[in-house]
């Protein structure tokens, strides 16, 4: 994303080859190429600093760090299975689980369909995400969780998260309001006489 924002992806994918030294663009190309090559962390750069082109560096990094799908998918699913809300807020917990879901989706095959079956697949994945999300919530959300599970069909995961956050706010608000008896103290009647 950073390279794309700076219009430098052509340096890493090799679609902008280095011009010959006599070309007027040679110095500009070299400066941009060097800028891309120095955008990596020092630890990574030390292992690939012998390259002259960002595209060669990128190819080397791809070979070095690109994991096979199987182990990474297993690792992501293990993290998902072990993830619990714990001391995290609902928003923080949702961000963590959504990050794992998004990365896992990168390994799923791209499917194109005109028959309408894709909608059913998306609904199934949504239900699965809703169940995963709510399973790992703290027990204090049991009542709102039960209400959501009664809905048919289940709302989208973003709506479910919003409902849980709303429940969290109501619970927090309820615990911060002192009981009515401690707020309203009876005023002594000025007309009453002390005995």
């Amino acid at each position: 994303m950073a390279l794309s924002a700076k219009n430098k992806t052509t340096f890493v994918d090799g679609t902008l080859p280095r011009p010959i030294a006599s070309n007027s663009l040679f110095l500009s190309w070299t400066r941009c190429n060097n800028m891309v090559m120095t955008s990596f962390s020092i630890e990574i750069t030390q292992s690939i600093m012998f390259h002259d082109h960002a595209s060669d560096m990128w190819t080397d990094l791809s070979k070095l760090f690109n994991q096979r799908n199987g182990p990474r998918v297993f690792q992501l699913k293990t993290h998902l299975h072990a993830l619990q809300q714990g001391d995290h807020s609902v928003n923080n917990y949702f961000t963590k689980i959504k990050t794992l879901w998004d990365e896992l989706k990168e390994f799923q095959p791209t499917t194109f369909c005109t028959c309408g079956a894709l909608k059913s697949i998306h609904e199934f994945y949504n239900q699965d995400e809703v169940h995963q999300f709510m399973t790992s919530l703290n027990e204090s959300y049991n009542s709102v969780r039960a209400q959501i599970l009664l809905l048919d069909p289940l709302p989208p995961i973003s709506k479910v998260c919003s409902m849980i956050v709303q429940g969290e706010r109501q619970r927090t608000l309820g615990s911060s309001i002192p009981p009515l008896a401690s707020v309203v103290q009876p005023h002594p009647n000025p007309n009453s006489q002390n005995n």
Side-chain angles (χ1 to χ4, degrees):
M1 288 172 63
L3 291 173
S4 178
K6 295 175 183 175
N7 199 24
K8 298 292 183 282
T9 53
T10 54
F11 288 89
V12 295
D13 65 15
T15 56
L16 184 64
R18 179 167 66 174
I20 58 173
S22 60
N23 190 311
S24 61
L25 296 175
F26 177 78
L27 291 177
S28 295
W29 185 94
T30 303
R31 181 171 29 92
C32 290
N33 181 68
N34 291 340
M35 183 172 59
V36 171
M37 291 179 69
T38 57
S39 64
F40 299 102
S41 68
I42 295 172
E43 295 82 6
I44 292 176
T45 306
Q46 287 176 344
S47 66
I48 50 176
M49 61 190 303
F50 55 87
H51 290 295
D52 293 329
H53 299 106
S55 60
D56 294 338
M57 179 184 278
W58 194 258
T59 301
D60 206 11
L61 284 173
S62 179
K63 290 176 184 174
L64 185 63
F65 292 106
N66 193 15
Q67 297 182 11
R68 294 187 57 189
N69 291 358
R72 184 58 184 154
V73 168
F74 178 80
Q75 188 178 38
L76 289 168
K77 289 190 174 184
T78 302
H79 286 317
L80 276 171
H81 182 70
L83 189 63
Q84 297 289 322
Q85 180 190 356
D87 295 332
H88 300 290
S89 69
V90 173
N91 280 328
N92 193 335
Y93 161 65
F94 180 73
T95 301
K96 287 176 180 294
I97 197 169
K98 188 169 186 321
T99 301
L100 293 172
W101 287 334
D102 289 346
E103 187 176 349
L104 198 56
K105 283 177 185 171
E106 292 295 317
F107 295 104
Q108 293 172 356
T110 305
T111 308
F112 298 99
C113 171
T114 57
C115 67
L118 203 55
K119 183 181 177 189
S120 298
I121 293 171
H122 284 302
E123 288 172 359
F124 172 80
Y125 279 123
N126 178 69
Q127 286 184 10
D128 192 43
E129 288 178 348
V130 168
H131 291 143
Q132 282 184 19
F133 175 67
M134 293 200 302
T135 299
S136 303
L137 284 171
N138 293 341
E139 289 183 11
S140 55
Y141 298 98
N142 281 348
S143 59
V144 67
R145 178 172 29 216
Q147 292 173 2
I148 292 170
L149 288 173
L150 290 174
L151 299 175
D152 187 24
L154 285 174
I157 185 64
S158 56
K159 176 68 176 170
V160 169
C161 180
S162 176
M163 293 167 76
I164 298 288
V165 168
Q166 196 172 20
E168 180 182 46
R169 287 185 185 140
Q170 287 176 347
R171 202 176 80 242
T172 305
L173 183 64
S175 65
S176 64
I177 297 176
L180 189 59
S182 65
V183 174
V184 180
Q185 296 291 334
H187 293 288
N189 187 346
N191 296 329
S192 66
Q193 296 179 349
N194 292 335
N195 292 333

